[in-house]
Amino acid sequence: MARAQAEPPAVRADVDAVVSADLSRLHGHARLTVRAPAGSALEHVDVWAFPERLATPPHAMDEVDEPRLFPVGFQPAAMDLGGAVDGQGRALRIERIETTLYRIHLVEPVAAGEVAVVVLTFETRIPRRFGPFGRDAGQLTLDGGFFPRPPPLDAAGFHPDLPPDALDFHLSLGWAGRRDALSVVNGRLTELTAGGEPQPVGEGRARRVSLLLYTRHQISRLVTDHGRVMLVHRRKRRGTRGPDDLFDLGVIDVHAQTLATVGATLGFLARHGVAVPDMTVCAEAPLRRALARTAPGMILVSDRAFDVTPYEPIRKFHRLPLVRATAALVVEDIVAPQAEPGRADQAVDLVAVDLTERWERAMYGGQEGARELLAKGSLLAEVDDALTAPQIPFESAFFRGPDDTDRFRDSIELFSHRRPVGHLWREKLVDRLGAEAAGALAADVARGVPLPEALSRHGDGVDMAWLEAWDEGTPDRNYAIDEVTRGEDDEGPFVDVQIRVDGPVQPPEQVAVRVEGRRRAPAQASVVVDQATVTARVRSTATRPRVVLDPKRRLAESDLGRPVDPRADNLTHPRWRVLLDGFGLSLNSASGRADVIVSGFVRREADIDHTFLLSVFDLERRTGVAVDWLRSLGPKVVPNRRRLAIGVGTSISWLKPRRGDGSGLGLRLRFTLGELTFRSRTDPRAGVARLLAIGPTLATRDGTSDIGFAGSALLGRLIPIGGRHTLAGAFRADILLGEISSSETLGIGGPGGVRALATFARTGEMRLAGSLEWRHRYTRDVSISALHLAFVHGIDGVLFVDGALLGQTPNRTFQSEAFSVGIGYGLRFHYVVAGLTPMVFSIDAAVPLLVAGQRPRGVPPVTVGAAVGQSF
């Protein structure tokens, strides 16, 4: 049942603590006053040690996630309990029950309604970590859980498997640094004197105590007709250079965007009858997997918010999480007191999501997701990757699936239970009841109506038991089209679609089915899937229907561990797609020649097994086209790529005349076998790359034909060393046998060879090349705008050594004059294009140490090369 708002919490926490000068430790005492529940005596007090949840790397973290979690590699958090005494100073025994749970045994039981006092000495070790619990760049972010506190308590005892319950608290904080700092505790700002004694920084009633500490800070403000907004931030405001500057391509005032968005949201809520506070506090924090989150009394805003191209259809995806957090903060005092125990966060989020969607419709005239926006540029392979296998920051903000619960669950409000956030509840209510009824239900809850009562008014048979069936999140299941049949009855033509469910069928889910026909308007219906096979009837006159399950992607389908796209069986006639993969242009300053390569591929929608690679090239020695078919095999590495691939391909080219030879025709046939286990497209840190390609070649020129054989092999390996370093190595072997055209000979320099030499500084028919790189991170904490088109977020360095043996025959290849080696250093700039597509720009400078077995005379020449992507 809902609890009265005035009912006092069972726990009070009075905490005195000191933060170390380097922000790595917080130590002090927590005095816990715990009231025994009615009808039950209290023999012990359980306390959470939340930091122990962060003592090991997050489960299933990979090289894509790691840079967004840890600036310098994994560091553990910890909480040590130094001892416990009761109110009379008597020592108490501490027992560790679970990783994050301790039990404090009382000297004697406390009767029902009486209070027990436990004083704990504790030290919390704080890792360098992005997100709601950690430190970085002179800022401490502890959104709850930094001192020992009891789980929810009732007559049945403590409940460590529930979300945190309300508690009364008083926090005094000292700061051991050498300069003054600013603390923000549940929206209250306090100046901390350097080296001073603990002073009061926060008190009140909340489900958690959120502490931020800034060693350097600024404050920006906005005054609106509906209240004031204050933003505390570490980074300086980005402004124009002077009062006469009208437009500056290098400036995005991200803090102004934050203030304006919160201010606009407050006005929207006020106009819809929601009481808004006089002051709304926002605090910038180094969040990397969320753009904004609600904390007690304030909003935490990512320091990467609005680092996107200022094209409003893109920038809106940064606004919406901030609107959602603002709405949740405003309605929390209305909704949370009426929620059932452990359900407050879900009820508040349900209302906040509904208000956010209403705000989006009011501001933008409707709803358009990232899929609809990116579909306009889906000809580009990078855009297709962003749609099918996104590796973008703040992915859930752009691709709003039905359940956006943080999968790492590394926050105090999520770590102890499996209940998802309220977004999932709201989306399933929309599916079941429709948007209008779900909106009316959310509006009632926003006015203080308890959720069960609102369900009885608008639920049409949906009750709390149905909602609670989603407490485990979205189930691990896959939907598939089993059979499609056409028919006709008294009402006219129809299409029956038999839907199969692989995996659990509970809780039942509303599934939309769309039927498309040539030159006919699409028809759609929906059906509740509550058993292994269900038939949906769609009224359509299509003679050759194309059926799509879940056209708006409202289901969170799983591949059930199979190496396929889970949506591959949601389509009856997948469309073929032509994608542009790359465009290359290089200029040889010595010859004045420009080399151009355009590459792409063709594949069917939701098909990751079959791909046709296409490329058109105009090079210094030949012009032509190449086509390859690849068949993917093995497990999935990323959603749109499997580990292994076999292929067959051909290329045909016009051989350009050179050195007295006329033009000719070249033909090559190749068979390939490859393996790639890198997950990150821009910053791989572990895995292997293997490739073998073999096949015959034919060249016809001046009436003569040359027949030969070409073979290539590649082996690459990445080994992470600590959190900031990677050892990368690659070995390549290429061989040409038989009568080979001069247009096919191998070069020694450039990418894949010795980067200190030009590509065709020397040529041969057998090449062995190797590269060794030491890749090391400088920073993952920069934010540099490149004309608002791309935003640099990280910089790496690379020290590399390249070596190669190149000769005309095997014997000559292994002689000393065939050996060349170079050394160099490069930078890697990690950036996000328009805020949507992660990329890396490489620039290398190298000098030769040996050229054809000889040391260069005089000062070695420096070769500079630039490319998009890593070297391998």
Side-chain angles (χ1 to χ4, degrees):
M1 296 177 60
R3 295 167 296 176
Q5 184 172 358
E7 181 181 346
V11 176
R12 176 180 175 83
D14 294 277
V15 181
D16 293 316
V18 176
V19 178
S20 65
D22 63 355
L23 305 179
S24 67
R25 289 176 294 113
L26 183 146
H27 61 89
H29 299 84
R31 180 184 177 91
L32 306 177
T33 304
V34 184
R35 186 180 69 253
S40 177
L42 197 63
E43 298 182 350
H44 59 265
V45 173
D46 290 350
V47 295
W48 274 323
F50 166 71
E52 295 296 319
R53 172 70 172 79
L54 311 178
T56 57
H59 177 67
M61 178 185 72
D62 58 30
E63 60 188 11
V64 176
D65 302 310
E66 188 263 350
R68 300 172 196 166
L69 285 162
F70 303 101
V72 292
F74 172 73
Q75 289 186 358
M79 176 178 284
D80 297 326
L81 299 184
V85 298
D86 63 12
Q88 287 77 46
R90 295 175 293 183
L92 302 177
R93 182 168 66 91
I94 302 176
E95 179 186 5
R96 189 164 192 169
I97 303 299
E98 298 175 2
T99 302
T100 58
L101 186 68
Y102 287 88
R103 176 162 293 170
I104 316 301
H105 293 273
L106 302 177
V107 173
E108 53 195 23
V110 173
E114 300 298 322
V115 297
V117 176
V118 174
V119 181
L120 295 170
T121 302
F122 72 95
E123 179 178 271
T124 299
R125 294 196 292 277
I126 304 159
R128 286 199 65 186
R129 183 183 180 115
F130 297 132
F133 195 97
R135 58 185 171 92
D136 185 63
Q139 180 176 345
L140 186 69
T141 306
L142 302 175
D143 188 16
F146 57 89
F147 63 85
R149 59 163 292 177
L153 172 65
D154 61 18
F158 290 96
H159 296 278
D161 56 345
L162 290 180
D165 205 358
L167 82 165
D168 289 330
F169 76 95
H170 181 280
L171 175 62
S172 293
L173 194 67
W175 161 237
R178 296 184 178 180
R179 56 182 297 169
D180 293 352
L182 177 75
S183 73
V184 185
V185 177
N186 288 22
R188 171 179 166 181
L189 279 63
T190 306
E191 294 283 350
L192 296 178
T193 304
E197 294 295 320
Q199 63 186 87
V201 295
E203 62 182 351
R205 180 172 298 174
R207 290 197 297 279
R208 66 184 188 272
V209 181
S210 183
L211 164 65
L212 280 75
L213 191 146
Y214 298 84
T215 58
R216 292 180 176 85
H217 75 278
Q218 296 189 19
I219 297 178
S220 298
R221 294 177 173 86
L222 175 70
V223 179
T224 75
D225 293 339
H226 303 285
R228 297 169 295 159
V229 185
M230 175 191 295
L231 172 62
V232 184
H233 50 97
R234 173 175 53 84
R235 297 179 298 164
K236 293 182 179 180
R237 287 286 295 272
R238 302 174 188 172
T240 55
R241 296 187 183 90
D244 297 329
D245 291 344
L246 297 179
F247 187 65
D248 186 344
L249 288 176
V251 169
I252 296 180
D253 191 344
V254 296
H255 300 106
Q257 292 295 327
T258 297
L259 291 168
T261 303
V262 175
T265 305
L266 294 175
F268 171 82
L269 295 174
R271 289 191 296 272
H272 285 76
V274 180
V276 300
D278 178 63
M279 172 65 77
T280 301
V281 177
C282 304
E284 187 180 72
L287 310 179
R288 291 295 187 273
R289 291 177 297 112
L291 283 156
R293 55 182 278 125
T294 305
M298 59 185 175
I299 301 166
L300 303 187
V301 184
S302 171
D303 57 5
R304 296 286 167 81
F306 297 105
D307 273 345
V308 293
T309 294
Y311 173 55
E312 192 57 34
I314 294 178
R315 192 152 58 181
K316 109 174 168 178
F317 295 108
H318 279 223
R319 297 197 194 282
L320 294 176
L322 188 53
V323 173
R324 178 174 168 182
T326 305
L329 179 69
V330 170
V331 304
E332 181 170 7
D333 289 341
I334 302 171
V335 175
Q338 306 303 324
E340 296 183 345
R343 299 292 185 185
D345 287 330
Q346 285 168 288
V348 169
D349 193 47
L350 184 153
V351 173
V353 171
D354 185 81
L355 289 170
T356 300
E357 292 195 2
R358 290 165 60 187
W359 183 90
E360 183 182 2
R361 290 193 295 269
M363 293 293 293
Y364 298 99
Q367 289 183 270
E368 182 182 56
R371 296 189 184 280
E372 291 80 11
L373 177 66
L374 292 176
K376 301 168 185 176
S378 59
L379 174 66
L380 303 176
E382 285 290 346
V383 173
D384 185 71
D385 280 340
L387 289 169
T388 57
Q391 294 188 355
I392 62 176
F394 316 122
E395 177 184 330
S396 64
F398 291 91
F399 300 96
R400 291 172 285 182
D403 184 6
D404 54 11
T405 307
D406 177 15
R407 66 188 179 93
F408 293 124
R409 312 182 76 86
D410 59 355
S411 56
I412 182 67
E413 71 271 25
L414 286 175
F415 87 105
S416 60
H417 61 98
R418 293 299 306 168
R419 296 176 180 178
V421 295
H423 186 197
L424 179 60
W425 274 6
R426 195 264 176 186
E427 295 306 297
K428 293 309 164 187
L429 286 171
V430 169
D431 290 342
R432 187 67 177 266
L433 306 176
E436 184 176 351
L441 183 150
D444 274 1
V445 177
R447 288 189 289 266
V449 176
L451 180 57
E453 183 179 336
L455 281 171
S456 66
R457 295 182 184 178
H458 307 283
D460 191 21
V462 174
D463 56 13
M464 285 299 298
W466 183 85
L467 278 183
E468 289 167 353
W470 296 98
D471 277 355
E472 294 295 316
T474 51
D476 205 24
R477 61 189 172 200
N478 176 64
Y479 294 94
I481 298 174
D482 247 3
E483 187 179 358
V484 176
T485 57
R486 296 175 56 247
E488 188 170 353
D489 59 14
D490 294 341
E491 297 182 33
F494 62 80
V495 176
D496 277 347
V497 181
Q498 188 177 72
I499 303 171
R500 185 185 78 250
V501 184
D502 300 326
V505 297
Q506 296 296 326
E509 195 163 14
Q510 198 95 9
V511 177
V513 183
R514 186 171 69 198
V515 175
E516 302 170 350
R518 185 176 299 178
R519 294 188 295 274
R520 287 179 172 85
Q524 185 165 310
S526 63
V527 62
V528 176
V529 178
D530 55 2
Q531 50 189 325
T533 57
V534 172
T535 298
R537 175 161 293 184
V538 184
R539 291 291 169 181
S540 173
T541 59
T543 56
R544 190 172 182 270
R546 179 181 186 266
V547 179
V548 183
L549 295 186
D550 187 30
K552 294 187 177 181
R553 295 177 179 260
R554 296 187 60 83
L555 307 176
E557 290 190 77
S558 168
D559 58 21
L560 301 178
R562 299 174 298 196
V564 294
D565 186 325
R567 294 190 60 83
D569 48 16
N570 289 16
L571 308 165
T572 53
H573 302 288
R575 294 189 175 99
W576 286 93
R577 308 187 62 199
V578 180
L579 301 170
L580 179 64
D581 189 32
F583 174 81
L585 175 65
S586 62
L587 180 65
N588 187 323
S589 58
S591 65
R593 277 290 311 170
D595 289 348
V596 179
I597 300 177
V598 179
S599 61
F601 54 91
V602 178
R603 68 182 177 200
R604 293 187 304 173
E605 186 178 358
D607 182 4
I608 67 172
D609 289 341
H610 302 275
T611 303
F612 292 91
L613 304 180
L614 308 172
S615 64
V616 180
F617 52 87
D618 179 23
L619 308 178
E620 184 173 349
R621 300 186 177 191
R622 59 189 184 273
T623 299
V625 61
V627 180
D628 291 83
W629 167 73
L630 292 181
R631 172 67 165 92
S632 298
L633 302 167
K636 282 197 300 186
V637 178
V638 294
N640 63 346
R641 176 170 56 83
R642 298 169 74 168
R643 178 170 183 166
L644 303 171
I646 58 174
V648 60
T650 185
S651 61
I652 183 170
S653 57
W654 170 57
L655 307 181
K656 298 179 180 180
R658 63 187 302 269
R659 294 180 183 177
D661 293 336
S663 61
L665 181 69
L667 182 66
R668 173 177 287 190
L669 181 65
R670 56 187 161 269
F671 302 91
T672 59
L673 173 64
E675 177 187 22
L676 184 64
T677 64
F678 303 164
R679 288 187 57 85
S680 172
R681 293 195 299 270
T682 60
D683 190 22
R685 301 195 66 238
V688 297
R690 298 185 178 96
L691 177 67
L692 177 65
I694 57 175
T697 67
L698 171 66
T700 300
R701 190 198 299 264
D702 297 333
T704 62
S705 297
D706 299 327
I707 299 177
F709 179 86
S712 297
L714 166 69
L715 173 62
R717 180 71 187 271
L718 301 179
I719 303 174
I721 303 174
R724 305 182 68 171
H725 306 275
T726 301
L727 189 63
F731 175 77
R732 302 171 182 85
D734 302 276
I735 187 170
L736 302 174
L737 300 175
E739 297 296 329
I740 300 297
S741 167
S742 60
S743 297
E744 302 286 346
T745 53
L746 306 169
I748 193 172
V754 180
R755 281 169 276 184
L757 301 176
T759 303
F760 295 109
R762 297 182 63 245
T763 61
E765 297 182 4
M766 182 173 180
R767 178 179 62 189
L768 302 175
S771 296
L772 186 63
E773 294 188 349
W774 168 43
R775 303 176 182 177
H776 45 282
R777 291 181 181 172
Y778 284 126
T779 179
R780 283 291 188 272
D781 196 38
V782 296
S783 183
I784 304 171
S785 171
L787 300 180
H788 297 175
L789 300 177
F791 298 84
V792 177
H793 288 164
I795 302 174
D796 297 349
V798 178
L799 177 66
F800 59 87
V801 177
D802 301 328
L805 291 166
L806 180 70
Q808 296 295 334
T809 64
N811 288 336
R812 297 180 62 183
T813 300
F814 293 97
Q815 295 179 359
S816 59
E817 60 266 23
F819 183 55
S820 300
V821 64
I823 188 170
Y825 193 81
L827 294 175
R828 304 292 182 263
F829 298 92
H830 297 270
Y831 60 98
V832 181
V833 178
L836 294 172
T837 304
M839 304 281 282
V840 60
F841 178 74
S842 303
I843 183 168
D844 295 325
V847 296
L849 300 181
L850 289 176
V851 180
Q854 301 293 322
R855 294 181 60 183
R857 295 181 180 180
V859 179
V862 178
T863 300
V864 178
V868 175
Q870 297 279 4
S871 52
F872 56 88

